[in-house]
Amino acid sequence: MQDMERYLAASQWIDADHPHVRAQAAALAGSDVEDTARRCFEFVRDTIRHSWDFQQNPVTCRASDVLEHGTGYCYAKSHLLTALLRANGIPAGLCYQRLAVGTAGPPFCLHGLNAVWLPRHGWYRIDARGNKTGVDARFTPPVERLAFPVLAEEERDLPEIWAEPLAVVVDALSRYATVEAVAANLPDIELLPLPLNR
């Protein structure tokens, strides 16, 4: 099993040690790990407004700022969910998909979500971006119910579970002051070539 310490640590963007984050995490603590993880997930999914869906500023990145302002892009919401889980002693990390910005790409952008370590299931991915028409993400371990399927050839489920946000994500959320500016400059990465079938 991977070293879990880095998936429990507080940091600049995942400030699980912030007093407000710790207080909210304590309020969400459930009867066991899965119950607590579900309660944290549903809080972020349903209570924190997705910046673009609601056209709501300010642009947030740090977990405590997402909690304070009640809004964030998918990346920022995943930072808060990571912090709430870690504050409850549950290992959590950040995951990304590469998706078309519209119904088909280009352009493409990263989409931020989470993985949580559940004792009965191992790493389990969850997506708290916020439900809407056509999006129905849920906490149903061991079955994943993410917000978006990977469909196009250049879309990807990126396999890594990151302890810290990708620099390109932090840059986008830190550099641009409005939700419109972020939307015009969504973070993306270059894909490595797929291996040839042998």
Side-chain angles (χ1 to χ4, degrees):
M1 189 168 69
Q2 299 182 49
D3 173 23
M4 289 295 174
E5 288 304 311
R6 60 196 181 116
Y7 296 106
L8 288 165
S11 63
Q12 179 180 3
W13 304 111
I14 312 297
D15 53 345
D17 54 352
H18 189 283
H20 294 164
V21 173
R22 290 175 63 85
Q24 184 63 64
L28 293 168
S31 58
D32 58 22
V33 169
E34 282 194 31
D35 187 43
T36 300
R38 177 189 59 79
R39 287 165 59 90
C40 290
F41 163 77
E42 291 178 351
F43 171 80
V44 176
R45 183 193 66 184
D46 299 339
T47 305
I48 306 299
R49 293 181 166 193
H50 188 281
S51 297
W52 185 253
D53 289 355
F54 290 89
Q55 293 293 291
Q56 185 170 344
N57 287 305
V59 176
T60 54
C61 185
R62 183 177 288 106
S64 58
D65 291 338
V66 180
L67 181 62
E68 177 185 355
H69 295 288
T71 188
Y73 269 95
C74 58
Y75 325 104
K77 293 184 69 167
S78 73
H79 301 170
L80 175 58
L81 181 52
T82 303
L84 291 171
L85 292 165
R86 291 181 185 181
N88 272 308
I90 301 173
L94 303 159
C95 300
Y96 299 95
Q97 295 173 313
R98 185 180 194 249
L99 302 173
V101 172
T103 54
F108 294 90
C109 71
L110 293 177
H111 169 61
L113 56 148
N114 292 90
V116 58
W117 179 264
L118 302 177
R120 293 196 303 154
H121 305 292
W123 284 113
Y124 174 65
R125 291 191 307 167
I126 47 179
D127 191 339
R129 64 104 37 223
N131 289 342
K132 60 179 183 176
T133 301
V135 175
D136 186 24
R138 296 182 180 273
F139 184 91
T140 55
V143 178
E144 286 185 356
R145 289 283 299 274
L146 304 180
F148 303 111
V150 169
L151 300 173
E153 183 179 348
E154 294 178 82
E155 295 184 334
R156 293 283 190 283
D157 270 321
L158 303 179
E160 297 87 356
I161 301 172
W162 299 88
E164 291 295 319
L166 292 181
V168 67
V169 168
V170 171
D171 181 66
L173 297 180
S174 302
R175 178 179 299 191
Y176 302 106
T178 67
V179 291
E180 294 82 6
V182 174
N185 296 278
L186 291 169
D188 191 16
I189 57 167
E190 289 189 35
L191 294 177
L192 296 174
L194 288 173
L196 297 174
N197 292 328
R198 297 189 178 187

